Amino acid sequence: MLEFKNITLKIGRKTILDSVNLKAKKGRITALIGKNGSGKTSLITTACGLSHYDGEILLCGKNIQEYKNKDRAKIISFLPQMMPETSISVYSLVSMGRSPHLGGMGILSKTDKEAILSALRITRTEELSGRSISSLSGGEKRRAFLALLLAQEAPLLILDEPNAYLDISYSSELCTLLRELCDDHKKTILVIMHDISEATEIADDIAILDGGKTVFYGTKNELLATETIENIFGVKRYKAYDGDKTKIFFS
């Protein structure tokens, strides 16, 4: 659905991305991992029209630069790592996701309101709809902004470390929600993840950036059949057993 082909990004004389190649395939979760400064955020900003680059990005088989901003927003929704501070209500925030679909008057139609309510329900933020964003906990705020993305009804979600700074329970809850969005609501997800163990738990495909280059791209099982993670991140692999299920952790 989204393909990066030989993406190179330079800032001054510094090369941030060097001929990066990877895909976010339709109906799958692709996790993008790498050390700090490896170019992860820089890569996804190219798909959101926020950075100039060399190479080609294909969205649904078409060069992404050929899309008008409003048309691209109907296909891609983006959640940055740092969410803006605001005191508006959760409902008002989520309603902003309908912007690409509104006419010149900007009035919410019945269809718009149904999309907003559906997004609140899926993210389990219905009871929060009247509360101020500024009054929410970190986990509640992430779910509210994710509801904003869902109200946009774009088939592709791009998320920059959505579980950053969350405690274990909220982070696990969010990862479960992402898996549900892919499996039950047919979303394609490209997500930057800091926690390697969580990435290998929920992702279908994984791409690793190191020094601005793609050092691995493939399925989760293909990655786990190698020692690439251990070699790049300097971590060890551990296994835990829960009945007939085996979980893999890196530390």
Side-chain angles (χ1 to χ4, degrees):
M1 186 171 192
L2 180 68
E3 181 176 4
F4 299 89
K5 301 179 70 175
N6 298 314
I7 300 301
T8 297
L9 173 65
K10 295 183 178 182
I11 298 179
R13 295 182 179 180
K14 185 176 181 179
T15 299
I16 307 300
L17 299 170
D18 187 1
S19 299
V20 171
N21 292 277
L22 61 95
K23 298 178 182 179
K25 297 179 181 178
K26 185 177 181 180
R28 296 170 71 85
I29 296 178
T30 301
L32 183 58
I33 62 177
K35 298 176 182 178
N36 291 338
S38 60
K40 303 184 299 297
T41 296
S42 296
L43 179 65
I44 63 173
T45 60
T46 63
C48 299
L50 302 176
S51 299
H52 296 289
Y53 59 89
D54 292 320
E56 186 177 32
I57 300 175
L58 300 179
L59 177 61
C60 300
K62 177 181 175 181
N63 192 309
I64 201 168
Q65 295 180 347
E66 297 178 20
Y67 287 88
K68 294 180 180 179
N69 288 340
K70 193 167 186 177
D71 292 333
R72 182 174 57 199
K74 292 179 180 179
I75 303 175
I76 296 177
S77 53
F78 172 57
L79 181 64
Q81 183 182 147
M82 300 302 295
M83 298 172 294
E85 293 295 331
T86 177
S87 59
I88 64 173
S89 71
V90 171
Y91 187 91
S92 295
L93 175 77
V94 177
S95 67
M96 292 179 179
R98 299 305 297 165
S99 296
H101 305 277
L102 298 181
M105 299 294 291
I107 299 174
L108 295 174
S109 67
K110 180 181 178 181
T111 299
D112 295 319
K113 293 177 181 178
E114 288 174 348
I116 293 167
L117 292 176
S118 176
L120 291 168
R121 185 183 68 256
I122 292 170
T123 56
R124 296 180 281 279
T125 51
E126 291 172 292
E127 295 182 357
L128 305 175
S129 62
R131 287 180 55 183
S132 165
I133 294 295
S134 60
S135 73
L136 303 181
S137 68
E140 290 170 337
K141 188 179 296 185
R142 296 280 171 164
R143 284 191 284 126
F145 274 90
L146 190 54
L148 162 66
L149 267 62
L150 295 184
Q152 196 173 325
E153 293 190 313
L156 173 60
L157 309 182
I158 298 180
L159 314 171
D160 188 353
E161 292 198 40
N163 49 0
Y165 313 117
L166 297 183
D167 62 31
I168 294 175
S169 60
Y170 274 126
S171 182
S172 178
E173 180 183 79
L174 187 61
C175 286
T176 298
L177 179 56
L178 294 182
R179 193 66 256 178
E180 290 175 0
L181 292 176
C182 181
D183 295 339
D184 301 336
H185 300 280
K186 310 306 178 185
K187 297 295 186 181
T188 300
I189 299 174
L190 174 61
V191 55
I192 293 177
M193 301 192 73
H194 176 75
D195 190 305
I196 301 170
S197 300
E198 287 184 338
T200 57
E201 175 72 17
I202 71 163
D204 300 297
D205 304 306
I206 295 179
I208 302 177
L209 294 187
D210 190 37
K213 297 182 179 181
T214 316
V215 294
F216 178 88
Y217 168 72
T219 68
K220 171 178 64 179
N221 290 337
E222 288 171 341
L223 176 60
L224 292 176
T226 72
E227 294 185 353
T228 303
I229 290 177
E230 290 89 333
N231 293 335
I232 291 177
F233 296 96
V235 295
K236 292 184 178 181
R237 182 184 312 208
Y238 301 91
K239 293 183 179 181
Y241 301 94
D242 182 9
D244 59 350
K245 294 183 179 180
T246 302
K247 289 191 175 183
I248 297 176
F249 298 91
F250 294 91
S251 179

